[in-house]
């Protein structure tokens, strides 16, 4: 795959897609590395579980496993490890006391807050290296990209 210079405009849709894919890979690595200084150290699956549970508290294990793309046995092991680390709570749901819902513990919420702050700090360091007007254009383009990604995602569903 041919790499393009950061400042050079893409001549074709394919070149633009290649540049976006390359940027996505770099951003993914940057975001993954943001977990390194945050204690306790968690697996990518553990981070995904905490993130999903933070926006969907009370969901059961089956729902969370599907949302993070883990099989049920693996998700169960990840949740058990998170619970042992004091980051996740398993409690009966209000709707059905036989069903167990997942929630972040106060320690889990604090961990996720530290992790997210570290990711934002890392991204801010990258953005500081860009000219101000380029940053503004990037932010506007990212908003449009998010809309397009959502549209493609809904077409696949």
């Amino acid at each position: 795959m041919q790499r393009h210079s950061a400042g050079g405009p893409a001549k074709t849709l394919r070149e633009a897609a290649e540049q976006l894919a390359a940027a996505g890979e770099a951003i993914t690595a940057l975001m993954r590395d943001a977990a390194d200084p945050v204690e306790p150290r968690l697996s990518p699956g553990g981070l995904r579980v905490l993130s999903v549970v933070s926006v969907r508290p009370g969901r059961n294990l089956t729902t969370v496993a599907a949302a993070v793309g883990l099989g049920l046995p693996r998700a169960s092991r990840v949740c058990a490890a998170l619970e042992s680390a004091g980051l996740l709570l398993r409690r009966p749901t209000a709707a059905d006391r036989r069903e167990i819902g997942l929630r972040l513990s106060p320690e889990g919420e604090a961990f996720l807050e530290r992790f997210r702050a570290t990711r934002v700090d890392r991204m801010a360091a990258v953005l500081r290296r860009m000219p101000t007007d380029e940053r503004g254009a990037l932010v506007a383009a990212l908003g449009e990209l998010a809309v397009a990604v959502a549209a493609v995602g809904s077409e696949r569903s």
Side-chain angles (χ1 to χ4, degrees):
M1 177 183 286
Q2 182 182 3
R3 299 287 179 202
H4 300 277
S5 67
K11 293 183 178 78
T12 67
L13 183 62
R14 177 103 183 141
E15 288 176 347
E18 288 174 352
Q19 287 179 343
L20 183 58
E25 289 173 11
I27 292 168
T28 298
L30 185 75
M31 296 295 100
R32 183 183 56 240
D33 293 346
D36 288 347
V38 182
E39 293 293 334
R41 288 261 173 101
L42 297 181
S43 68
L47 287 169
R48 288 193 316 267
V49 166
L50 288 182
S51 292
V52 166
V53 171
S54 76
V55 296
R56 298 179 182 172
R59 302 294 171 116
N60 66 25
L61 180 63
T62 303
T63 304
V64 171
V68 300
L70 293 175
L72 200 52
R74 173 83 175 119
S76 181
R77 288 191 301 274
V78 168
C79 288
L82 292 170
E83 186 177 32
S84 292
L87 303 175
L88 190 68
L89 302 170
R90 297 181 197 215
R91 300 284 187 260
T93 64
D96 181 351
R97 303 301 265 160
R98 295 172 293 169
E99 184 176 54
I100 301 298
L102 303 172
R103 297 190 179 284
L104 296 184
S105 68
E107 293 83 4
E109 290 174 6
F111 169 87
L112 211 49
E113 188 174 309
R114 289 190 312 273
F115 172 69
R116 289 175 173 158
T118 301
R119 284 192 325 184
V120 168
D121 291 346
R122 295 257 172 120
M123 190 50 68
V126 170
L127 292 173
R128 272 193 290 280
R129 294 177 178 258
M130 294 178 68
T132 304
D133 56 334
E134 297 271 340
R135 276 197 309 257
L138 175 64
V139 170
L142 288 174
E144 293 300 320
L145 179 65
V147 171
V149 167
V152 169
S154 66
E155 289 171 1
R156 290 181 20 206
S157 299

